Amino acid sequence: MEQDVLGPPYERQTIDLGTDDEGPVVATLVRRRADRPTGRAVLYVHGFVDYFFQTHLADFYAERGWDFYALDLRKYGRSLLPHQTPNFCRDLSDYFPELDAATTVIRDEDGHDTLLAMGHSTGGLLISLWAHARRDAAAVDGLVLNSPFFDLNAPWLVRRPLAAAVSRLGRRAPHRVLPFGLGTVYGESLHADHRGEWTYDLAWKPLAGFPVRAGWLAAIRTAQRQLRAGLDIPVPVLVACSTRSFRGTRWHDSAALADAVLDVEHMVRWAPRLGRHVTVARFDGGKHDLVLSGPAVREQVFTEVGRWAEAFLGAGPTPTTPTATPTSGSTFATSG
């Protein structure tokens, strides 16, 4: 066990994932225990060009008695090694081993009986596919999807015929850099050095993102096609998103009050394909990462997530006396 870069009360474990064609691979599990634990835990998974830094999100759960865990996936954030292509994968199932390992720590080693998975953007797409694949194992008890990446934010000709051509390129030349990127508008709306209120590591979350590569886009397209064909997630799902999208490539004040990355209508359209029990909640003025929206909006987001968890997971306010205690001697490994 060692202290995380965020400092106390955050600690981290490095998960050894062996090697791939670029060399050694690791993921990083960050933990923040609740002061009055209840046996419940949340596992948070970030999006593309992202990592866990949203400590106010962890505080929200911890104050309600949830032990909070966040997973920096392989080749992201804390887990990005010098020899690796940032944020690259060939298939979203590549991430299933670290999700499985995190679940083992949370349930078996730390002794939690309720596990909520929360994913943002690409992380929302990922945990949806993972929950579907692990449905017989009852890996999780609920999902919260924060602006999930259910479709490409582009015209139909780009989303379908052109994306199909890129997928074929991705199989032949997976590391080929594609001639488009994320732009800087969303990053400007977040970072305190620009027009936002948040401070985070720009080496791990650059303002303009990392290059988009053909193999990664092919992996996303394959995952999105699977989702749109229909999943069978047996647990309750909350899909949360903004009420509108911003599509400009240059700064405008309205970018601070909308999803400046994805088309929110895609999220609403495809949400029913997740499973039998899906709730959709939309937030006026919400950013792409809803918990990084303005104070009033993120308060609404937290209120809605809390109500949903109480209704569907029986997760009410934290009792005044603990009903469970942390498992002692957890095997959090040290990071190299």
Side-chain angles (χ1 to χ4, degrees), residues 28-30 42-48 50-54 57 61 68-74 76 92 95-96 98-100 102-103 106 115-128 130 140 143-148 289 291:
T28 310
L29 186 63
V30 179
V42 59
L43 175 62
Y44 174 79
V45 182
H46 57 78
F48 183 58
D50 207 358
Y51 72 101
F52 170 66
F53 63 91
Q54 300 89 337
L57 175 63
Y61 281 108
F68 181 89
Y69 297 78
L71 187 63
D72 275 16
L73 301 167
R74 63 184 72 193
Y76 282 86
L92 259 63
Y95 300 119
F96 287 6
E98 52 254 55
L99 288 166
D100 293 339
T103 303
I106 295 168
L115 177 57
L116 170 66
M118 181 175 187
H120 168 56
S121 196
T122 305
L125 175 63
L126 167 60
I127 66 170
S128 297
W130 173 71
V140 294
L143 297 183
V144 173
L145 309 182
N146 171 3
S147 304
D289 188 340
V291 304

Side-chain angles (χ1 to χ4, degrees), residues 31 43 65 69 76-77 135 164 214 220 318 321:
R31 178 174 66 187
L43 175 62
Y69 297 78
Y76 282 86
R135 61 192 181 278
I220 293 296
T318 306
T321 56

Side-chain angles (χ1 to χ4, degrees), residues 180-257:
F180 54 82
L182 300 180
T184 63
V185 170
Y186 179 56
E188 288 181 47
S189 78
L190 297 182
H191 203 278
D193 289 348
H194 298 272
R195 305 172 192 272
E197 59 177 299
W198 308 102
T199 300
Y200 50 82
D201 192 332
L202 290 172
W204 289 346
K205 185 177 174 63
L207 208 65
F210 293 111
V212 175
R213 298 178 184 272
W216 177 86
L217 191 61
I220 293 296
R221 181 176 180 270
T222 298
Q224 291 175 340
R225 290 179 65 192
Q226 182 181 351
L227 178 137
R228 294 195 301 269
L231 303 181
D232 184 20
I233 299 173
V235 298
V237 182
L238 173 63
V239 176
C241 63
S242 183
T243 57
R244 57 187 179 273
S245 296
F246 174 84
R247 293 180 173 79
T249 57
R250 294 185 178 183
W251 179 259
H252 187 278
D253 288 347
S254 60
L257 300 171

